[in-house]
Amino acid sequence: MHKYKNFTIKNLQIEFYVLLLQAKKPIREKTMRVALIQTDIQWMDTEQNMKNAERMINSCSYTDMFILPEMWNTGFIASHDGLVQDAATEWMKKMSRQKNAALCGSLSVKSPDGKNYNRQYFVRPDMEISVYDKRHLFSYGGEDAYYHAGERRVVAEYLSVRFLLLTCYDLRFPVWSRNANDYDAIICVANWPESRQHVWDTLLRARAIENQCYVIGCNRVGSDPKCTYIGHSAVIDSRGRTVAEAEGECEQIIFADLDFDSQNRFRQKFPVLDDRDAFKLEQ
């Protein structure tokens, strides 16, 4: 206690506050924590899927962003008209507010003009929402017969980080996802089947390496009337290394801390993107 004899209580409080700021500031500047919610989607059971996703999200402590799979509330439906998903979108807003975190995932929707879309929502706690309509429809599975393709590329910003939004089949098309130094990470939500799991694993890594960015791939598990899914949700860094991945083929939450300062240093040291082909994407 002797070394503190000249300190007042106020001095100690100020010193403690400064030390607390110094301890916290580097972590908040350098990293973003994301949680991939790898769910076992119950076929066409919106209420049960919302309850299950809410249970999983509420089990998480501090997280900046939660990511759900493609069509997380119904499973991949491509055999009837899109659904009006007011309840699901309101639920996404509610959870984003409650957890003070961004929330991302896609839904089957019918727009006011009567067209159906596989629409990805990126919801922020302040209720600002970015919307991305899936560009590449999976014609092999009949998706193009029931949905309209999106017409624009969407980059959503949150906590000063820029995220390119992709949905499942989009992952196969590198031109659409080419980094023009306009984003820091890719989010890909999916219902990617077990039969093509190796392709999923490979493309996540390829998109990360070629675009020098984090790739966040959130897939589902379980089954629907046509396919079986085994997850393999993962986060890959800009060098193609696995930051975090699902353990086994079960429902689970995968956490990852994304270090964008480190990624920026790597881009500066090894500026691959500066040598990219010059082209303008026609949308």
Side-chain angles (χ1 to χ4, degrees), residues 43-46 71 73-75 77 80-89 107-112 114-119 121 146-147:
W43 179 247
M44 294 297 293
D45 192 340
T46 296
M71 296 192 191
N73 68 325
T74 57
I77 52 176
H80 63 78
D81 287 344
L83 306 173
V84 178
Q85 296 292 5
D86 292 340
T89 53
L107 304 168
S108 170
V109 302
K110 182 186 285 292
S111 68
K115 295 179 180 178
N116 303 323
Y117 293 96
N118 184 343
R119 178 165 292 173
Y121 291 88
Y146 298 96
Y147 294 97

Coordinates of all heavy atoms in Angstrom, one line a residue, residues 43-46 71 73-75 77 80-89 107-112 114-119 121 146-147:
W43 N -38.3 -29.0 -42.0 CA -38.9 -28.7 -43.3 C -40.2 -27.9 -43.1 O -41.2 -28.4 -42.5 CB -39.1 -29.9 -44.0 CG -39.8 -29.8 -45.4 CD1 -41.0 -30.2 -45.7 CD2 -39.2 -29.1 -46.5 NE1 -41.3 -29.9 -47.0 CE2 -40.2 -29.2 -47.6 CE3 -38.0 -28.5 -46.8 CZ2 -40.0 -28.7 -48.8 CZ3 -37.8 -28.0 -48.0 CH2 -38.8 -28.1 -49.0
M44 N -40.3 -26.7 -43.6 CA -41.5 -25.8 -43.7 C -42.1 -25.5 -42.3 O -43.3 -25.2 -42.2 CB -42.5 -26.5 -44.6 CG -42.1 -26.6 -46.0 SD -41.9 -24.9 -46.8 CE -43.6 -24.3 -46.8
D45 N -41.3 -25.6 -41.2 CA -41.8 -25.4 -39.9 C -41.2 -24.1 -39.4 O -40.3 -24.1 -38.6 CB -41.5 -26.5 -39.0 CG -42.3 -26.5 -37.6 OD1 -42.7 -25.4 -37.3 OD2 -42.3 -27.5 -36.9
T46 N -41.8 -23.0 -39.8 CA -41.2 -21.6 -39.6 C -41.2 -21.4 -38.1 O -40.1 -20.9 -37.5 CB -42.0 -20.5 -40.3 OG1 -41.9 -20.7 -41.7 CG2 -41.5 -19.2 -39.9
M71 N -32.4 -19.7 -46.3 CA -33.8 -20.1 -46.0 C -33.8 -20.9 -44.7 O -34.4 -21.9 -44.6 CB -34.3 -21.0 -47.2 CG -34.4 -20.2 -48.5 SD -35.4 -21.2 -49.7 CE -35.1 -20.2 -51.2
N73 N -35.5 -20.5 -42.1 CA -36.8 -20.8 -41.4 C -37.7 -21.8 -42.1 O -38.7 -22.1 -41.5 CB -37.5 -19.4 -41.2 CG -38.0 -18.9 -42.5 OD1 -37.3 -19.0 -43.6 ND2 -39.2 -18.2 -42.5
T74 N -37.3 -22.2 -43.3 CA -38.2 -23.2 -44.0 C -37.5 -24.4 -44.6 O -38.1 -25.4 -44.9 CB -38.9 -22.5 -45.2 OG1 -37.9 -21.9 -46.1 CG2 -39.8 -21.4 -44.8
G75 N -36.2 -24.2 -44.8 CA -35.5 -25.2 -45.7 C -35.6 -24.6 -47.1 O -36.3 -23.7 -47.4
I77 N -36.8 -24.2 -50.4 CA -38.1 -24.4 -51.1 C -38.0 -23.8 -52.5 O -37.7 -22.7 -52.7 CB -39.3 -23.9 -50.3 CG1 -39.1 -22.4 -49.9 CG2 -39.5 -24.7 -49.0 CD1 -40.3 -21.8 -49.2
H80 N -43.0 -24.0 -54.9 CA -44.3 -23.3 -54.8 C -44.0 -21.8 -54.7 O -42.8 -21.4 -54.6 CB -45.1 -23.8 -53.7 CG -44.5 -23.6 -52.3 ND1 -44.5 -22.3 -51.7 CD2 -43.8 -24.4 -51.5 CE1 -43.8 -22.5 -50.5 NE2 -43.4 -23.7 -50.4
D81 N -45.0 -21.0 -54.7 CA -44.8 -19.5 -54.6 C -44.0 -19.2 -53.3 O -44.1 -19.8 -52.3 CB -46.1 -18.8 -54.6 CG -46.8 -18.8 -55.9 OD1 -46.1 -19.1 -56.9 OD2 -48.0 -18.5 -56.0
G82 N -43.2 -18.1 -53.4 CA -42.5 -17.6 -52.3 C -43.5 -17.2 -51.2 O -44.6 -16.9 -51.4
L83 N -43.0 -17.2 -50.0 CA -43.8 -16.9 -48.8 C -43.6 -15.4 -48.4 O -42.6 -14.9 -48.5 CB -43.4 -17.8 -47.6 CG -43.4 -19.3 -47.9 CD1 -42.8 -20.0 -46.7 CD2 -44.8 -19.8 -48.2
V84 N -44.7 -14.8 -47.9 CA -44.5 -13.5 -47.3 C -44.0 -13.7 -45.9 O -44.7 -14.3 -45.0 CB -45.9 -12.8 -47.2 CG1 -45.7 -11.4 -46.6 CG2 -46.4 -12.6 -48.6
Q85 N -42.7 -13.3 -45.6 CA -42.0 -13.7 -44.4 C -42.0 -12.5 -43.4 O -41.0 -12.2 -42.8 CB -40.6 -14.1 -44.8 CG -40.6 -15.4 -45.6 CD -41.0 -16.6 -44.9 OE1 -41.5 -16.5 -43.7 NE2 -40.9 -17.8 -45.4
D86 N -43.2 -11.9 -43.1 CA -43.2 -10.8 -42.2 C -42.8 -11.3 -40.8 O -42.0 -10.6 -40.1 CB -44.6 -10.2 -42.1 CG -45.0 -9.5 -43.4 OD1 -44.1 -9.1 -44.1 OD2 -46.2 -9.3 -43.6
A87 N -43.2 -12.4 -40.4 CA -42.9 -12.9 -39.0 C -41.4 -13.2 -38.9 O -40.8 -12.8 -37.9 CB -43.7 -14.2 -38.7
A88 N -40.8 -13.7 -39.9 CA -39.4 -14.0 -39.9 C -38.5 -12.8 -39.9 O -37.5 -12.7 -39.2 CB -39.0 -15.0 -41.0
T89 N -38.9 -11.8 -40.7 CA -38.1 -10.6 -40.8 C -38.3 -9.8 -39.5 O -37.3 -9.2 -39.0 CB -38.5 -9.7 -42.0 OG1 -39.9 -9.5 -42.0 CG2 -38.1 -10.4 -43.3
L107 N -34.2 -15.7 -46.8 CA -35.6 -16.1 -46.7 C -36.2 -16.2 -48.1 O -35.8 -15.5 -49.0 CB -36.5 -15.1 -45.9 CG -36.0 -14.8 -44.5 CD1 -36.8 -13.6 -44.0 CD2 -36.2 -16.0 -43.5
S108 N -37.2 -17.1 -48.3 CA -38.0 -17.1 -49.5 C -39.1 -16.0 -49.3 O -39.9 -16.1 -48.4 CB -38.6 -18.5 -49.7 OG -39.6 -18.4 -50.8
V109 N -39.1 -15.1 -50.2 CA -40.1 -14.0 -50.1 C -40.8 -13.7 -51.4 O -40.3 -14.0 -52.5 CB -39.4 -12.7 -49.6 CG1 -38.7 -12.9 -48.3 CG2 -38.4 -12.1 -50.7
K110 N -42.0 -13.1 -51.3 CA -42.8 -12.6 -52.4 C -42.8 -11.1 -52.3 O -43.2 -10.6 -51.3 CB -44.2 -13.2 -52.4 CG -45.0 -12.7 -53.6 CD -46.4 -13.1 -53.6 CE -46.6 -14.6 -53.9 NZ -46.3 -14.9 -55.3
S111 N -42.2 -10.4 -53.3 CA -42.2 -9.0 -53.2 C -43.5 -8.4 -53.6 O -44.4 -9.0 -54.1 CB -41.1 -8.5 -54.2 OG -41.5 -8.7 -55.5
P112 N -43.7 -7.1 -53.3 CA -44.9 -6.4 -53.6 C -45.3 -6.5 -55.1 O -46.5 -6.4 -55.5 CB -44.7 -4.9 -53.2 CG -43.7 -5.0 -52.1 CD -42.8 -6.2 -52.5
G114 N -45.1 -9.1 -56.8 CA -45.6 -10.4 -57.1 C -44.5 -11.4 -57.5 O -44.7 -12.6 -57.7
K115 N -43.2 -11.0 -57.5 CA -42.1 -11.8 -57.9 C -41.5 -12.5 -56.6 O -41.5 -11.9 -55.5 CB -41.0 -11.0 -58.6 CG -41.4 -10.5 -59.9 CD -40.3 -9.7 -60.6 CE -40.7 -9.1 -61.9 NZ -39.6 -8.3 -62.5
N116 N -41.0 -13.7 -56.8 CA -40.4 -14.4 -55.7 C -38.9 -14.3 -55.7 O -38.3 -14.3 -56.8 CB -40.8 -15.9 -55.8 CG -42.3 -16.2 -55.8 OD1 -43.0 -15.5 -55.1 ND2 -42.7 -17.2 -56.6
Y117 N -38.3 -14.1 -54.5 CA -36.9 -14.0 -54.4 C -36.3 -14.8 -53.3 O -37.0 -15.0 -52.3 CB -36.5 -12.5 -54.2 CG -36.8 -11.6 -55.3 CD1 -38.0 -10.8 -55.4 CD2 -35.9 -11.4 -56.4 CE1 -38.3 -10.0 -56.4 CE2 -36.2 -10.6 -57.5 CZ -37.4 -9.8 -57.5 OH -37.6 -9.0 -58.5
N118 N -35.1 -15.3 -53.5 CA -34.3 -15.9 -52.4 C -33.5 -14.7 -51.9 O -32.5 -14.3 -52.4 CB -33.4 -17.0 -52.9 CG -32.6 -17.7 -51.8 OD1 -32.5 -17.2 -50.7 ND2 -32.1 -18.8 -52.2
R119 N -34.0 -14.1 -50.8 CA -33.6 -12.8 -50.3 C -32.8 -12.9 -49.0 O -33.3 -13.4 -48.0 CB -34.8 -11.8 -50.2 CG -34.4 -10.4 -49.7 CD -35.6 -9.5 -49.9 NE -35.8 -9.3 -51.3 CZ -36.8 -8.6 -51.9 NH1 -37.8 -8.1 -51.0 NH2 -36.9 -8.4 -53.2
Y121 N -31.1 -11.0 -45.9 CA -31.3 -9.8 -45.1 C -30.0 -9.7 -44.2 O -29.6 -10.6 -43.5 CB -32.5 -9.9 -44.2 CG -33.8 -9.8 -44.9 CD1 -34.4 -10.9 -45.5 CD2 -34.4 -8.6 -45.1 CE1 -35.6 -10.9 -46.2 CE2 -35.6 -8.5 -45.8 CZ -36.2 -9.6 -46.3 OH -37.4 -9.5 -47.1
Y146 N -38.9 -20.7 -60.1 CA -39.8 -20.1 -59.1 C -39.3 -18.8 -58.6 O -40.1 -18.1 -57.9 CB -40.0 -21.1 -58.0 CG -40.7 -22.4 -58.4 CD1 -39.9 -23.5 -58.7 CD2 -42.0 -22.5 -58.6 CE1 -40.5 -24.7 -59.2 CE2 -42.6 -23.6 -59.0 CZ -41.9 -24.7 -59.3 OH -42.4 -25.9 -59.8
Y147 N -38.1 -18.5 -58.8 CA -37.5 -17.2 -58.2 C -36.9 -16.4 -59.3 O -36.5 -16.9 -60.4 CB -36.4 -17.6 -57.2 CG -36.9 -18.3 -56.0 CD1 -36.9 -19.6 -55.9 CD2 -37.5 -17.5 -54.9 CE1 -37.4 -20.3 -54.7 CE2 -38.0 -18.2 -53.8 CZ -37.9 -19.5 -53.7 OH -38.4 -20.2 -52.6

